[in-house]
Amino acid sequence: MVTKSKVWYLENFNFFSELDMEVRTFICQNTIMRSLDKNEAVYFQFDPSNSVYFLKEGKIRISKFAHTGEEFLVGILEKGEIFGESSITDNKYRKEAAIVEEAVTYCVMQQEKFRELLLMAPSLNLKFSQMLEEKLEKAQKRLQDMSCKNNQQRIIDFLKETAALSSKSPNGELVIDNSLTHQKIAQLTCTNRQEVSSVLSLLKRNKIIDYNRKTIKILKLHELQTS
């Protein structure tokens, strides 16, 4: 039953699309499926880095913690994403923590088996390299934005980037899942909660967006893009 569940998840996991049955079987035989509830940790900062994780359902927040305990939110991961990949880049210990934001189901593969998997499937190796490059570019952009853009610009950019990954409603509006609190958006944009609330309220008054506790609707995409 567990193996069937893994196969079903693989078919719905973009990173593993177009793999032959031999590779899929290898993945199923060398992963362990787990589930955790909100605020439980997959791993902590400074834990040994020896596994790679495939997020099947739910959301994970990746955070770094200062010695004072202050949390710096690096990102929110959703289903279909890989995390813990630093184990493949020869980092012996975790540089961040992975904490459950919404109840998750994920698979774990030991680093040596993941290395073996990359050798078995050259196309997967290429995807993995591209993923690492994209994550690096995203981190570099975030640092650049902090020095070159003001708070309002960074919050609007966050909405633009999130909207680009969102689905459309029947009437053509882009709909963003509003599961992030204003505080989480503030952490992701290196701003503050009050500034996020102010910018969202301004955009709502100008009828560029509309939002409630569950969703943010982009009513006028062009005006948001030129904001």
Side-chain angles (χ1 to χ4, degrees):
M1 188 65 161
V2 173
T3 301
K4 287 183 179 179
S5 296
K6 289 180 183 177
V7 170
W8 185 88
Y9 279 123
L10 285 176
E11 290 173 350
N12 292 273
F13 203 88
N14 289 337
F15 189 77
F16 295 133
S17 62
E18 301 176 1
L19 295 179
D20 61 35
M21 187 53 64
E22 179 186 2
V23 178
R24 287 170 182 260
T25 300
F26 177 87
I27 296 170
C28 289
Q29 291 174 341
N30 291 283
T31 54
I32 299 172
M33 188 176 291
R34 293 176 179 162
S35 295
L36 290 175
D37 293 324
K38 183 177 174 66
N39 291 328
E40 292 189 281
V42 179
Y43 56 78
F44 293 103
Q45 193 168 325
F46 306 123
D47 275 357
S49 181
N50 51 24
S51 304
V52 180
Y53 302 83
F54 314 125
L55 183 55
K56 311 297 187 180
E57 290 182 335
K59 294 183 179 181
I60 292 283
R61 75 177 186 268
I62 303 298
S63 295
K64 290 188 177 185
F65 290 88
H67 67 278
T68 58
E70 183 180 1
E71 181 179 2
F72 176 73
L73 184 59
V74 176
I76 302 288
L77 306 182
E78 302 198 16
K79 64 180 181 179
E81 296 196 63
I82 293 177
F83 62 104
E85 70 281 351
S86 62
S87 63
I88 305 303
T89 58
D90 293 325
N91 288 322
K92 292 184 179 180
Y93 299 97
R94 299 291 182 192
K95 294 183 177 180
E96 71 288 312
I99 303 167
V100 177
E101 185 69 16
E102 291 180 5
V104 296
T105 299
Y106 62 93
C107 281
V108 190
M109 180 179 281
Q110 293 298 307
Q111 68 172 41
E112 64 272 14
K113 291 299 180 181
F114 190 73
R115 290 179 187 276
E116 190 176 337
L117 173 64
L118 295 180
L119 291 174
M120 287 177 64
S123 62
L124 206 60
N125 200 343
L126 177 60
K127 280 186 179 181
F128 183 69
S129 298
Q130 290 172 335
M131 183 199 74
L132 292 180
E133 186 176 349
E134 287 171 3
K135 286 191 174 185
L136 178 60
E137 288 176 353
K138 188 174 182 179
Q140 291 173 335
K141 181 181 182 300
R142 188 177 185 184
L143 289 173
Q144 185 178 9
D145 286 350
M146 285 176 61
S147 60
C148 299
K149 295 182 179 181
N150 61 36
N151 288 357
Q152 179 172 319
Q153 288 173 322
R154 294 203 298 276
I155 294 165
I156 290 175
D157 278 355
F158 172 81
L159 290 176
K160 293 176 188 176
E161 292 166 5
T162 308
L165 302 173
S166 303
S167 59
K168 284 188 177 182
S169 66
N171 60 4
E173 297 168 344
L174 284 169
V175 180
I176 300 172
D177 175 18
N178 193 21
S179 58
L180 292 178
T181 64
H182 289 190
Q183 180 60 34
K184 289 283 185 355
I185 295 174
Q187 289 177 296
L188 288 169
T189 55
C190 300
T191 58
N192 58 72
R193 185 180 61 79
Q194 292 81 4
E195 190 84 29
V196 171
S197 297
S198 176
V199 171
L200 293 182
S201 295
L202 175 63
L203 293 173
K204 186 173 183 177
R205 286 198 303 272
N206 292 336
K207 301 187 185 305
I208 295 174
I209 70 169
D210 191 18
Y211 63 90
N212 54 38
R213 290 184 177 181
K214 293 184 177 180
T215 60
I216 299 175
K217 292 182 180 179
I218 310 300
L219 305 177
K220 298 177 181 178
L221 182 60
H222 176 70
E223 290 189 29
L224 180 67
Q225 290 173 333
T226 55
S227 297

